[in-house]
Amino acid sequence: MSWPLSSQPLLILAPMDGYTDRAFRTLVKWIEPRTVAFTEFLSAATVAAQPKLAAEWFATTDAEQPVVVQLYGKDPQDFLRAALLAEQYGCAGVDLNMGCPAKKVVAHQHGSALLKNIDLACAIVATLKKHLRVPVTVKTRLGWEDASHLIPFVQRLQDQGLDAITIHGRTYAQKFQGEADWRPIYALKDALNIPVFGNGDVMDGGSALQKLGNLNGVMVGRAATQDPWIMREIGAALWQETSPLPPTLDETAEGWLRFARAAIGDRPEGPACQRMRKFLIQWVRRFGLDHLRAQATAVNSMADLQALFADARHSVVVV
Ligand SMILES: Cc1cc2nc3c(=O)[nH]c(=O)nc-3n(C[C@H](O)[C@H](O)[C@H](O)COP(=O)(O)O)c2cc1C
């Protein structure tokens, strides 16, 4: 596989602000190494203004690759400066956010607002394509209020040299409401020459396979945050491999310890471990260990984490 080209359907971890940082990407890649991982979105203007922080934002380990850096903004030169830094640090591709519906993002003419400013969207893609060696992709939605402009919009981006597109099957107006509609995404694929990836409501292996249709892969967001091990099941379904057994308590504990080590790095343990609490609440529920919920929500250090896992093992053995 050479992002975004592949003879097999691709499995992509969606960009998710507050989730898909280095630690989460490391965990998902440990679970299913064939995943293509996107970063959380980063402001092109912020990166362009503070290039000295580039290492912190963009340095990746080999195990995380291929990593696609997602940027948002509106100024082609900011995008270019930020993208060149990302490229310098070894990202596999740069993705442009043209789908975020958050009020504060759209108010600045970023994210979904670019759906309504096709000339600017094209200028950003063209600028990056002129100077970057890595592939340039876009993630967007079906449209502002409906999907009637989707094909002409993406065709124009393709004319600028765009390398691939991911579509979240909801409109800007829908935000996260209703079900994702993949039908316009299949029609888009028929009208384009570049890879098209679908996104929205892939929950497990069955729904991934049912939604894949004529597309080049699926991107998974919320389901991976609820249970990162679902990526292995989804991969197996996409690649027609035997469905994996559900992970054991020990395996998931090892995964979360790896996550913790990656999250801590050379930073203080407290904040990194506190960030894990939202995942640990799901983890105790998954193994029917609700009596450990209070302990999971109080994790503050590696020692607390190890104690939680030891108590969980003990509970399972006693039961
Ligand atoms: C907490 C959260 C943060 C998100 N952050 C981003 C982001 O940074 N960039 C982006 O393009 N989409 C972002 N999204 C949207 C997801 O990438 C994805 O399009 C959406 O969740 C639908 O896919 P799903 O049904 O698999 O979750 C975010 C979604 C969530 C729930």
Side-chain angles (χ1 to χ4, degrees):
M1 189 262 294
S2 160
W3 167 256
L5 302 173
S6 169
S7 52
Q8 296 258 64
L10 288 184
L11 170 62
I12 306 170
L13 174 66
M16 280 178 291
D17 189 32
Y19 285 92
T20 52
D21 61 1
R22 192 168 302 141
F24 193 76
R25 298 193 303 265
T26 303
L27 172 63
V28 168
K29 293 286 292 186
W30 178 70
I31 293 168
E32 179 40 79
R34 291 167 287 182
T35 308
V36 176
F38 275 45
T39 66
E40 307 168 89
F41 69 176
L42 282 162
S43 156
T46 304
V47 177
Q50 300 178 71
K52 286 201 176 119
L53 294 179
E56 198 172 306
W57 286 314
F58 297 137
T60 52
T61 59
D62 285 348
E64 272 180 79
Q65 291 291 352
V67 178
V68 178
V69 168
Q70 195 192 55
L71 299 171
Y72 73 95
K74 63 166 177 256
D75 181 66
Q77 292 307 315
D78 282 345
F79 271 109
L80 179 59
R81 277 193 285 272
L84 285 171
L85 285 166
E87 183 178 77
Q88 197 180 312
Y89 278 90
C91 71
V94 170
D95 187 75
L96 311 174
N97 181 309
M98 298 193 187
C100 180
K103 238 189 216 156
K104 63 175 192 237
V105 171
V106 174
H108 286 98
Q109 307 304 313
H110 302 155
S112 277
L114 288 165
L115 281 164
K116 288 178 123 182
N117 195 343
I118 185 160
D119 289 339
L120 181 56
C122 286
I124 296 167
V125 171
T127 305
L128 264 58
K129 281 303 297 178
K130 200 164 158 198
H131 297 280
L132 250 59
R133 278 175 288 115
V134 296
V136 176
T137 57
V138 161
K139 175 169 177 276
T140 187
R141 289 180 169 242
L142 295 178
W144 190 256
E145 275 177 348
D146 58 44
S148 55
H149 299 293
L150 180 65
I151 291 177
F153 177 71
V154 184
Q155 273 173 336
R156 280 204 50 200
L157 298 179
Q158 180 179 259
D159 291 344
Q160 313 308 313
L162 189 74
D163 291 288
I165 183 110
T166 306
I167 307 291
H168 175 188
R170 292 185 175 84
T171 61
Y172 158 79
Q174 270 180 294
K175 309 278 191 297
F176 277 85
Q177 285 153 10
E179 260 181 53
D181 182 2
W182 286 54
R183 290 166 303 179
I185 315 178
Y186 307 138
L188 175 69
K189 171 68 195 170
D190 283 337
L192 294 183
N193 307 316
I194 54 175
V196 178
F197 307 109
N199 169 242
D201 303 343
V202 172
M203 299 312 296
D204 50 26
S207 58
L209 207 51
Q210 184 246 323
K211 288 181 191 305
L212 178 67
N214 60 348
L215 305 180
N216 300 88
V218 301
M219 176 183 270
V220 183
R222 290 164 294 177
T225 65
Q226 284 149 25
D227 172 16
W229 277 263
I230 205 69
M231 296 300 271
R232 201 161 62 187
E233 180 190 311
I234 296 173
L238 289 178
W239 305 316
Q240 305 191 352
E241 296 169 355
T242 314
S243 192
L245 292 172
T248 61
L249 187 145
D250 277 335
E251 187 185 351
T252 53
E254 189 190 338
W256 287 118
L257 284 170
R258 280 171 179 267
F259 176 101
R261 283 192 285 269
I264 293 166
D266 49 12
R267 287 182 291 263
E269 280 184 43
C273 290
Q274 286 154 20
R275 267 206 50 229
M276 292 185 70
R277 293 173 181 172
K278 61 186 176 204
F279 297 116
L280 296 172
I281 292 169
Q282 316 248 23
W283 182 82
V284 293
R285 191 177 311 138
R286 167 187 196 130
F287 287 101
L289 300 167
D290 285 339
H291 62 288
L292 295 178
R293 187 188 154 93
Q295 196 176 336
T297 55
V299 163
N300 218 13
S301 64
M302 279 301 267
D304 289 347
L305 201 54
Q306 266 151 346
L308 173 70
F309 295 144
D311 290 349
R313 277 188 202 105
H314 181 70
S315 307
V316 170
V317 172
V318 168
V319 170

